[in-house]
Amino acid sequence: MIALVDINSFYASCHQVFRPDLRGKPVVVLSNNDGFVVARSREAKALGIPDLEPFFKIGQLLKKHRVAIFSSNYPLYGDLSARVMDTLRGFSPNVEVYSIDEMFLSPPGPREQWEDLAWEIKNTLWRQVRMPAGVGIAPTKTLAKLANHVAKRHRQGTGVCILDQPDKWQWVLRRVPVTAVWGVAGRMARRLAGLRIHSAWDLATANAKVVRRVGNVNLERTIEELNGRACLSLEELPPAKQQIYCTRSFGRKATELQPVLEAISLYAARAAEKLRAQRGLALTIHVFIHTSPHQPDFFSRSATAQLPYPTDDVRRITALARETVKGLYRPGHAFLKAGIGLIELVDRQHLQFDLFHPGQSERSTRLMTAIDAVNRRQGKGTLFLGAQGVSKPWYMRQHFSSPQYTTRWQDIPVVFA
DNA sequence: TCTGGGGTCCTAGGACCC
DNA sequence: TCTGGGGTCCTAGGACCC
């Protein structure tokens, strides 16, 4: 049995923790660069503000209803997420942090106590972290996701749903569209519609061999999981990533090479940091730049490049990323976005030594360890390469920033006696 | 005046090689 | 003159998740 806990409107709820005056009021959170809506409080949803709607299209609507608007504030969300996860670890030693606001855990205790357990989890999260949560419990991850979906949407206000018997989950499967199933989105749903599969129940009872023709092996697993047979286990130690990307849109479009070089340097450093965090080394990088796909003359280029030996040294990776992006850049285009991926990775533990090349020096490794230690202690970005630039005029727009209540000394909330 | 995210994995198709 | 397989690497883009 698996429980899935997920926070309602997580980003919006984070802002409400420090702005209790906004509880019960419409709140929206915008994506990076204030591009579009990525989170809405319940009240904002009730106003008919669609998810993923471009901000410029709904400015008037937001104003009319006096909706509170926030730029996204990832340091804040990351910190509150860690508090949620810490609280949940108190309930079970077996947990998997699935996303910033979702955790799978194996519910302890006998089956007849699970409903009480779910309520206790929900109430504790509210009491200790002021986070509103939904809890779903079922025999597989896919059904637990579905239970959570039901907890949030179909039994208004309860926020808890236990699907521990076939008759219970079958009742749900017959009543939700196939797109409510984890891993099935629009494109796959259209292909399934060609096989007359519309509801989750249609998928659960479909012939796996027939479905395999329009989907992949993951879809076959989904069918198994919908029938209560677990294929996906709790990943307590997240598997190492096979690719690590860092990509970002610019706050203002870049026509010159210099800002593109600075941006790609920052992204390279960020990707190298993630690489070191999983104790990996990179052999191949992938770099891309492109203009706005919404404008005519869309221009997009990408290229891969090889490092001389597996490395996690930010200087090596940055130098190669800059050299590569120079080859992609063309004057006369207004670039919107750039990114880098570390796409061929090796584990430090299983490194093959090259007879003719010494590989990364011990000095480099020690320097990287020192940089990471300083940045962990003094805050992200304390030590960085000059190649990233200092004033960063291309950095993302955030016109509706909230304070970093929990991660910056001068932003700590003041409580009056 | 302008404004459409970020991450990971997978696959199709072309180029090239043996 | 026309025809042939299989593997690898690369770029581009699809698909899904939050």
Side-chain angles (χ1 to χ4, degrees):
Chain A
M1 278 287 168
I2 293 186
L4 174 66
V5 183
D6 133 338
I7 308 297
N8 305 337
S9 312
F10 179 60
Y11 297 169
S13 298
C14 286
H15 290 282
Q16 287 173 322
V17 169
F18 294 93
R19 291 286 307 276
D21 57 305
L22 294 177
R23 284 207 187 286
K25 304 227 169 86
V27 175
V28 299
V29 179
L30 304 177
S31 65
N32 281 346
N33 277 315
D34 298 336
F36 54 89
V37 173
V38 291
R40 305 158 294 159
S41 69
R42 188 149 40 110
E43 296 73 20
K45 288 174 191 166
L47 289 175
I49 297 164
D51 198 17
L52 305 184
E53 186 75 353
F55 178 48
F56 71 92
K57 286 189 183 171
I58 52 167
Q60 287 306 313
L61 181 67
L62 297 179
K63 203 166 182 175
K64 184 176 147 202
H65 294 288
R66 297 169 174 273
V67 177
I69 303 167
F70 292 100
S71 297
S72 40
N73 182 344
Y74 285 93
L76 178 69
Y77 310 149
D79 187 61
L80 291 185
S81 172
R83 293 171 196 228
V84 167
M85 300 310 171
D86 282 347
T87 303
L88 290 173
R89 276 181 237 275
F91 286 94
S92 171
N94 311 108
V95 300
E96 173 188 339
V97 176
Y98 172 65
S99 77
I100 196 164
D101 74 328
E102 289 169 81
M103 181 183 260
F104 288 109
L105 52 94
S106 52
R111 177 179 293 241
E112 50 275 15
Q113 289 175 15
W114 284 340
E115 178 133 16
D116 290 343
L117 173 77
W119 279 107
E120 201 190 329
I121 289 174
K122 184 174 162 58
N123 294 336
T124 305
L125 282 173
W126 178 254
R127 201 169 55 244
Q128 296 189 0
V129 209
R130 279 290 181 266
M131 283 290 168
V135 183
I137 298 182
T140 69
K141 280 184 166 181
T142 306
L143 285 172
K145 287 283 279 189
L146 201 62
N148 196 283
H149 174 92
V150 173
K152 281 186 166 177
R153 272 162 249 240
H154 290 261
R155 290 161 68 186
Q156 285 288 333
T158 70
V160 162
C161 174
I162 317 288
L163 301 179
D164 56 350
Q165 301 289 344
D167 57 319
K168 291 186 196 166
W169 70 69
Q170 287 168 7
W171 190 91
V172 172
L173 288 174
R174 290 174 200 273
R175 283 165 181 77
V176 298
V178 72
T179 48
V181 175
W182 190 33
V184 180
R187 192 59 67 102
M188 183 65 72
R190 278 199 289 283
R191 281 188 228 154
L192 289 172
L195 300 175
R196 301 188 182 283
I197 293 172
H198 303 287
S199 69
W201 175 254
D202 293 337
L203 182 61
T205 54
N207 180 318
K209 293 223 166 41
V210 174
V211 169
R212 185 73 173 83
R213 288 207 292 270
V214 298
N216 53 22
V217 64
N218 290 328
L219 194 60
E220 272 185 283
R221 282 200 198 109
T222 298
I223 293 176
E224 287 296 300
E225 290 238 323
L226 287 176
N227 284 288
R229 295 185 287 273
C231 298
L232 304 169
S233 56
L234 212 60
E235 307 262 11
E236 295 172 43
L237 293 176
K241 304 251 180 293
Q242 296 174 44
Q243 304 178 338
I244 295 172
Y245 268 84
C246 182
T247 76
R248 211 126 293 167
S249 299
F250 305 135
R252 65 171 82 144
K253 286 181 181 146
T255 51
E256 307 293 316
L257 178 58
Q258 184 58 26
V260 173
L261 285 174
E262 289 185 9
I264 209 73
S265 303
L266 173 65
Y267 309 157
R270 188 71 201 96
E273 243 172 49
K274 292 190 210 169
L275 176 68
R276 295 194 295 271
Q278 75 170 38
R279 297 191 50 73
L281 299 169
L283 251 177
T284 307
I285 69 170
H286 176 223
V287 176
F288 72 82
I289 48 173
H290 65 74
T291 62
S292 168
H294 307 289
Q295 302 291 325
D297 305 323
F298 175 60
F299 178 85
S300 171
R301 288 288 180 277
S302 78
T304 56
Q306 296 292 324
L307 288 152
Y309 49 82
T311 180
D312 63 7
D313 189 319
V314 65
R315 297 166 301 177
R316 279 251 170 230
I317 295 171
T318 303
L320 183 59
R322 288 168 67 92
E323 192 188 312
T324 309
V325 86
K326 270 185 205 167
L328 301 176
Y329 172 83
R330 294 286 179 282
H333 291 288
F335 290 101
L336 174 79
K337 186 170 182 174
I340 176 177
L342 310 177
I343 57 170
E344 196 183 349
L345 307 182
V346 291
D347 189 330
R348 217 170 231 299
Q349 311 296 320
H350 303 106
L351 187 57
Q352 298 286 322
F353 288 99
D354 184 332
L355 189 57
F356 301 104
H357 203 291
Q360 177 162 305
S361 71
E362 185 55 32
R363 253 173 91 81
S364 283
T365 302
R366 284 210 308 273
L367 179 61
M368 294 308 114
T369 307
I371 290 176
D372 288 337
V374 169
N375 284 339
R376 203 162 37 241
R377 202 166 53 231
Q378 301 297 322
K380 221 171 244 181
T382 301
L383 282 181
F384 62 94
L385 297 183
Q388 297 174 18
V390 177
S391 65
K392 297 187 176 63
W394 42 269
Y395 200 70
M396 62 186 164
R397 272 188 314 274
Q398 296 189 312
H399 290 157
F400 308 95
S401 295
S402 56
Q404 309 217 346
Y405 298 105
T406 59
T407 53
R408 204 159 70 183
W409 286 110
Q410 60 266 40
D411 289 356
I412 288 181
V414 176
V415 178
F416 295 95

